[in-house]
Amino acid sequence: MMKKLQFFIVLFVLCNTGVSLGQERLVNKGNEKYEEYSFRPAIDIYKRVIEKGYVSAEILKKLGNSYYFNADYKEAAETFKKLVAEYKDSVIAEDYFKYAQTLKSLGDYKESKEVMKEFTALTFNDRRASSYKDDRDFMKEIKENSGRYVITPFKYNTPYSEFAPTYYKEGLIFSSDRDTGNFARYRHTWNSKDFLDLYKVDTDSISSNKVLKLGENINTRLHESTSVTTKDGETLYFTRNNIIEGKYVKDEKGIIRLKIFRAEMINGVWSNVEELPFNSNAYSVAHPTLSPDEKTLYFASDMPGTFGNSDIFMVEINDDRTFGTPKNLGSNINTEARETFPFVTSDEKLYFSSDGHPGLGGLDIFATKINRKDFTGTVINIGEPANSNNDDFTFIFDEENREGYLASNREGGLGFDDIYKFKETKPLVFDCMQKVTGTVRDKISNEVLVGATIKVINEENEELASTITDSKGTYNLILDCNKGNFVRALMEGYVPFEEYIGVSDGKPKIIDFYLERDRITAGFGDDLAKLLQLSTIYFDFDKYDIRKDSEIEVEKVIAAMEKYPSLRLKVNSHTDSRGPAAYNLWLSQKRAAATVNYMVSKGISKDRLVSEGYGETKLINECADGIKCSAAKHDLNRRSEFIILE
């Protein structure tokens, strides 16, 4: 479908080609039209050349591109198919990408996916390829985001093109090639349609007679398109062809570029029309929209620093109405393809159109949060029916009443491009919240640490949140999983430790921290078992093999010895007074030796350990032979000690 909007999408300038001498003149004429973005005449010429039997890879590429930029995806797909089949060695990654996009627009998602495999195989460090290589099921994600809008046709559509709606007072300003008053010689050769003008309408009016042109100070004999006004209705930013004092200006390639202009409302008339200072005769600047505070202008351009065919940029508006330096929004939003038609809501959500992010075909509408001018959030395809297999663009949205407008060249429309009104029935989920829980423990003793501080630090080393562990040593956090963050555990007397959590799918995550003490105050004769708060090391009755439930306590001692290589220990074993004294002495010696042997088997050098059994000779309470004591009191005497020798 031939589309007026396609004139406003910035493109790479492609190289010339030629065929046999007999057709060289005709092909050169086609190349000339192609490089002027006069795609409709170029299509006619290339078709004539091919019909005469002269075909080359370059001719097919340019014919396919000409169809592609006119949104004639059926013809584009057939042309790219022939290119791939007959000139595979000449096909580059960008050819495969356009071919895959045309197939999606025709609903052939299976074949499109196969073509994208060819595209990814030829690319390196390409955002579009990376999106497909990570094996995400984008069609499933798009389906999950679908069904959020009820869409109805704009009652002021005509059989011509209507698109680029923007809010203005109680109604809209939009662009159309309806009654331009131009003769055929003023038609644009991109798509052989009339040039566009800006119109305004009160959206609650009953009669289409309310649709009025903005006036001769705004509209010219060339294109006027996408626009935005300040909330007070006193300032208008709009897109126009490069025209100075009534005369259009071409670049060195013969292209009339796009520029953004600003006008003031004076006594009911748009006046003082001026172009913005970062415009250029060498590249296009178009599709303005304002931030909620009206201090930032967003726009699309192919200026230097652009990743693809067109990117979205921002520029600060100073208090004196001058401008800062334009900045690219970055590779999270912009790809090597087309990003264009930005719109920012009152809640700082950026909506834009792209054919570089995974979509349904053609231009799709995407959204992302940009709070505090952070452009790293997840980019969401807003799904059907807002998006279709064709081009969907110029999305605007009033978050207060959950209504808005968009334009599309989808099937069933009245004109070439039509405006649609929509009602949002279910909000998009922008916030990806991830629950992170865990426990903080002493690395050696494994005891929980109560009151430890857990902080969330972003990639700019800014603290975002903080909490402390409870009586069980546990903590709970909620993180934004659209961003990477560090979770840091701190406790007085311990070395801080942190773990990085990258962008994720939001599934709950458990992170347990084991903190090392920054120092251990101990010396000759101290019992390491007390310092480490070890539990009782038990042995089975009448046996001296270490039980499985006691191994963990000995492992803590091993960990300490591994951390401090100069540490030497004496392992002492004690029993209670029950049983013969001689037997208890023998058993305690065997148990002490068994403990040392276990530690040696785990890699501790034998010359760092000695052992001794004391039986019942060093009781710590009154429970000697002949004294009646409870089992609990007897248990206190059954103990192991790890005495520091060095």
Side-chain angles (χ1 to χ4, degrees):
M1 184 179 292
M2 297 179 294
K3 298 173 69 253
K4 189 66 59 177
L5 82 97
Q6 295 294 341
F7 178 77
F8 296 97
I9 299 172
V10 187
L11 308 173
F12 284 126
V13 178
L14 305 177
C15 59
N16 287 320
T17 187
V19 290
S20 66
L21 184 62
Q23 294 297 315
E24 183 176 354
R25 186 173 180 180
L26 186 59
V27 171
N28 286 342
K29 184 65 174 177
N31 291 340
E32 178 182 337
K33 293 299 181 182
Y34 179 86
E35 299 226 5
E36 291 177 353
Y37 296 171
S38 298
F39 292 125
R40 182 49 60 187
I43 289 172
D44 293 340
I45 293 172
Y46 290 140
K47 286 175 65 178
R48 286 167 56 192
V49 172
I50 292 173
E51 287 170 358
K52 291 180 179 293
Y54 296 94
V55 186
S56 72
E58 290 301 315
I59 289 177
L60 289 176
K61 286 184 182 186
K62 290 183 175 181
L63 178 59
N65 287 335
S66 298
Y67 283 128
Y68 183 83
F69 295 133
N70 266 284
D72 190 343
Y73 295 127
K74 184 177 184 298
E75 294 294 339
E78 289 298 321
T79 304
F80 286 126
K81 181 179 180 180
K82 186 173 183 179
L83 172 66
V84 170
E86 299 181 10
Y87 300 93
K88 188 176 179 65
D89 291 342
S90 299
V91 179
I92 62 174
E94 207 62 31
D95 301 327
Y96 280 116
F97 180 76
K98 291 189 180 76
Y99 185 22
Q101 289 295 101
T102 61
L103 290 170
K104 273 200 291 188
S105 294
L106 300 176
D108 192 349
Y109 295 108
K110 182 178 180 180
E111 184 61 26
S112 175
K113 189 173 182 179
E114 292 302 311
V115 175
M116 279 300 294
K117 291 180 181 178
E118 300 286 346
F119 167 72
T120 57
L122 294 177
T123 56
F124 174 75
N125 200 29
D126 187 298
R127 166 66 189 270
R128 296 167 296 175
S130 299
S131 296
Y132 284 88
K133 286 178 180 177
D134 64 11
D135 204 29
R136 286 170 56 188
D137 189 344
F138 288 103
M139 295 308 298
K140 180 181 178 181
E141 293 179 20
I142 294 172
K143 185 177 180 180
E144 290 174 349
N145 287 331
S146 296
R148 299 175 184 271
Y149 305 96
V150 176
I151 293 181
T152 56
F154 184 53
K155 64 181 179 180
Y156 302 106
N157 287 331
T158 70
Y160 298 91
S161 285
E162 280 80 30
F163 68 102
T166 189
Y167 294 112
Y168 177 61
K169 295 184 176 180
E170 301 302 318
L172 296 176
I173 292 174
F174 64 93
S175 186
S176 175
D177 66 350
R178 59 179 71 190
D179 180 23
T180 62
N182 290 329
F183 294 106
R185 65 189 180 94
Y186 290 138
R187 288 185 174 180
H188 195 271
T189 52
W190 178 298
N191 53 14
S192 298
K193 299 300 175 185
D194 290 331
F195 285 94
L196 296 153
D197 284 334
L198 288 174
Y199 293 78
K200 63 180 179 179
V201 63
D202 293 329
T203 52
D204 60 351
S205 63
I206 299 175
S207 170
S208 61
N209 293 331
K210 295 289 185 178
V211 178
L212 303 172
K213 285 188 178 182
L214 253 59
E216 61 182 15
N217 287 346
I218 301 299
N219 291 317
T220 65
R221 60 190 179 90
L222 296 183
H223 281 298
E224 284 76 34
S225 183
T226 46
S227 63
V228 65
T229 66
T230 52
K231 295 183 181 70
D232 60 12
E234 298 298 310
T235 302
L236 170 72
Y237 297 89
F238 65 98
T239 303
R240 174 193 280 174
N241 276 131
N242 188 7
I243 187 168
I244 299 176
E245 296 180 353
K247 297 181 179 180
Y248 57 79
V249 179
K250 295 182 179 181
D251 65 10
E252 61 183 13
K253 297 290 185 180
I255 306 303
I256 306 174
R257 294 289 181 173
L258 301 175
K259 292 185 174 182
I260 297 177
F261 291 78
R262 178 169 61 185
E264 294 179 272
M265 178 64 73
I266 300 176
N267 298 323
V269 178
W270 289 114
S271 308
N272 296 340
V273 177
E274 60 177 346
E275 68 169 276
L276 301 191
F278 47 86
N279 287 332
S280 173
N281 294 334
Y283 52 79
S284 290
V285 177
H287 317 319
T289 194
L290 289 165
S291 61
D293 62 7
E294 301 184 344
K295 294 182 179 180
T296 304
L297 185 76
Y298 295 88
F299 60 93
S301 178
D302 63 342
M303 64 173 56
T306 301
F307 294 110
N309 293 332
S310 65
D311 282 1
I312 299 175
F313 291 78
M314 59 176 283
V315 64
E316 299 299 328
I317 305 173
N318 301 320
D319 292 339
D320 61 359
R321 292 172 59 84
T322 61
F323 295 87
T325 302
K327 297 178 182 178
N328 191 298
L329 264 55
S331 60
N332 184 59
I333 290 174
N334 293 314
T335 70
E336 291 78 1
R338 301 179 290 183
E339 279 71 45
T340 186
F341 302 118
F343 177 78
V344 180
T345 69
S346 59
D347 197 29
E348 291 196 280
K349 297 181 180 71
L350 170 67
Y351 289 83
F352 63 96
S353 289
S354 170
D355 63 0
H357 294 276
L360 297 173
L363 290 170
D364 271 18
I365 300 165
F366 296 84
T368 183
K369 290 183 67 173
I370 57 170
N371 292 22
R372 297 182 298 173
K373 293 186 173 61
D374 181 352
F375 304 107
T376 61
T378 301
V379 174
I380 302 171
N381 185 305
I382 68 173
E384 298 178 300
N387 287 322
S388 67
N389 290 345
N390 290 305
D391 290 323
D392 309 289
F393 52 99
T394 58
F395 178 102
I396 64 174
F397 183 46
D398 184 337
E399 289 190 310
E400 183 175 352
N401 60 30
R402 316 309 295 179
E403 293 181 345
Y405 297 86
L406 61 86
S408 178
N409 69 330
R410 65 189 61 192
E411 296 295 328
L414 184 61
F416 293 105
D417 302 309
D418 288 297
I419 295 174
Y420 294 85
K421 184 176 182 179
F422 66 83
K423 178 75 174 180
E424 185 186 70
T425 58
K426 182 181 178 182
L428 280 170
V429 179
F430 287 90
D431 296 320
C432 177
M433 308 312 293
Q434 181 177 30
K435 185 176 182 180
V436 179
T437 60
T439 304
V440 182
R441 296 177 179 272
D442 184 300
K443 185 175 182 179
I444 296 177
S445 71
N446 204 44
E447 293 296 320
V448 298
L449 297 180
V450 179
T453 300
I454 309 296
K455 293 184 177 182
V456 180
I457 311 294
N458 66 15
E459 293 176 337
E460 287 72 45
N461 203 34
E462 300 170 330
E463 182 178 327
L464 303 180
S466 178
T467 188
I468 61 173
T469 55
D470 59 19
S471 60
K472 297 181 180 179
T474 61
Y475 70 91
N476 293 275
L477 291 170
I478 300 295
L479 274 63
D480 182 353
C481 56
N482 290 325
K483 304 173 184 177
N485 292 291
F486 296 90
V487 179
R488 184 179 300 167
L490 308 96
M491 183 76 174
E492 185 176 356
Y494 289 84
V495 179
F497 190 81
E498 67 185 17
E499 184 166 331
Y500 179 74
I501 302 179
V503 176
S504 72
D505 57 7
K507 293 181 180 179
K509 188 176 183 67
I510 298 175
I511 301 178
D512 293 325
F513 290 98
Y514 296 87
L515 301 186
E516 295 182 359
R517 299 185 187 186
D518 56 9
R519 68 180 64 184
I520 295 180
T521 304
F524 178 81
D526 289 331
D527 185 0
L528 191 61
K530 292 180 179 179
L531 294 173
L532 300 181
Q533 300 178 3
L534 298 185
S535 300
T536 302
I537 298 176
Y538 287 106
F539 297 85
D540 288 330
F541 178 72
D542 205 28
K543 292 184 179 181
Y544 47 82
D545 295 326
I546 296 177
R547 287 181 7 183
K548 290 294 183 183
D549 57 353
S550 293
E551 287 181 0
I552 188 171
E553 302 303 310
V554 182
E555 291 287 351
K556 296 173 186 177
V557 179
I558 293 172
M561 296 193 75
E562 289 174 341
K563 182 172 178 59
Y564 304 103
S566 63
L567 182 62
R568 293 181 65 246
L569 297 177
K570 180 184 178 186
V571 180
N572 295 337
S573 180
H574 302 270
T575 67
D576 58 38
S577 62
R578 293 174 292 185
Y583 178 79
N584 286 338
L585 179 61
W586 174 84
L587 185 61
S588 65
Q589 290 172 341
K590 297 294 286 185
R591 287 176 173 176
T595 303
V596 167
N597 291 337
Y598 178 85
M599 297 172 70
V600 170
S601 72
K602 295 298 183 178
I604 302 300
S605 177
K606 191 171 183 179
D607 60 9
R608 297 174 62 192
L609 298 165
V610 295
S611 65
E612 187 171 354
Y614 291 92
E616 56 184 86
T617 62
K618 292 189 176 184
L619 303 177
I620 61 173
N621 56 27
E622 74 278 12
C623 299
D625 289 338
I627 305 298
K628 188 176 182 180
C629 288
S630 65
K633 279 194 171 185
H634 280 301
D635 287 345
L636 295 176
N637 290 312
R638 294 171 54 227
R639 66 196 189 278
S640 294
E641 298 170 332
F642 296 86
I643 305 301
I644 297 174
L645 298 178
E646 182 181 327

